[in-house]
């Protein structure tokens, strides 16, 4: 399965909508998109994961790298609407605490404070 990545500016946030399977084969595509956004000074990112059917450790590492890069630039990374299987991986890995995760894109975009879970 392939990966589709689209972006949409919403206020000062960029919503990065990801669809498909995020794994070793497709993670570089998402990483390239993130690198392009960071080069353009876009450091406030919301990843819409509603259409991500699978995410392995390679995919998780893309989000961690994005968080590290945006933190260094004074920005933020938020995850939104992960499907149950993806949310479970985030919980088991402990990343749900590090990568602020919200039930919807709207909540992630408008949140003032990081989600507690």
């Amino acid at each position: 399965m392939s990966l589709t990545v689209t972006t949409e500016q919403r206020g000062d946030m960029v919503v990065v909508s990801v669809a498909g399977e995020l794994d070793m084969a497709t993670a570089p595509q998402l990483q390239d998109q993130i690198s392009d956004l960071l080069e353009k000074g876009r450091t406030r990112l919301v990843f819409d994961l509603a259409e991500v059917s699978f995410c392995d450790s390679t995919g998780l590492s893309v989000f961690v790298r994005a968080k590290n890069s945006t933190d260094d630039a004074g920005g933020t990374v938020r995850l939104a609407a992960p499907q149950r299987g993806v949310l479970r991986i985030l919980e088991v890995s402990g990343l749900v605490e590090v990568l602020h995760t919200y039930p919807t894109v709207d909540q992630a975009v408008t949140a003032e404070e990081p989600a507690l879970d």
Side-chain angles (χ1 to χ4, degrees):
M1 178 162 200
S2 64
L3 190 73
T4 304
V5 181
T6 58
T7 60
E8 172 193 1
Q9 189 76 38
R10 290 189 48 187
D12 65 344
M13 303 291 279
V14 176
V15 176
V16 181
S17 298
V18 185
E21 294 183 0
L22 186 53
D23 57 22
M24 189 169 69
T26 60
Q29 178 184 345
L30 179 57
Q31 185 62 57
D32 289 347
Q33 209 48 22
I34 294 167
S35 295
D36 186 51
L37 289 168
L38 294 173
E39 286 173 15
K40 293 177 180 174
R42 307 290 193 259
T43 60
R44 297 181 51 79
L45 308 177
V46 172
F47 291 95
D48 178 357
L49 306 181
E51 299 298 320
V52 174
S53 57
F54 175 80
C55 181
D56 70 5
S57 61
T58 312
L60 293 179
S61 70
V62 170
F63 297 127
V64 171
R65 281 196 302 274
K67 181 185 182 342
N68 291 339
S69 295
T70 59
D71 283 354
D72 290 346
T76 188
V77 164
R78 298 174 181 169
L79 305 183
Q83 292 185 22
R84 182 171 292 158
V86 174
L87 180 59
R88 182 73 182 131
I89 291 167
L90 289 165
E91 290 170 342
V92 168
S93 67
L95 290 176
V96 77
E97 306 298 326
V98 176
L99 300 167
H100 305 299
T101 306
Y102 298 82
T104 69
V105 171
D106 286 341
Q107 287 173 318
V109 167
T110 60
E112 295 287 328
E113 297 295 323
L116 296 177
D117 189 0

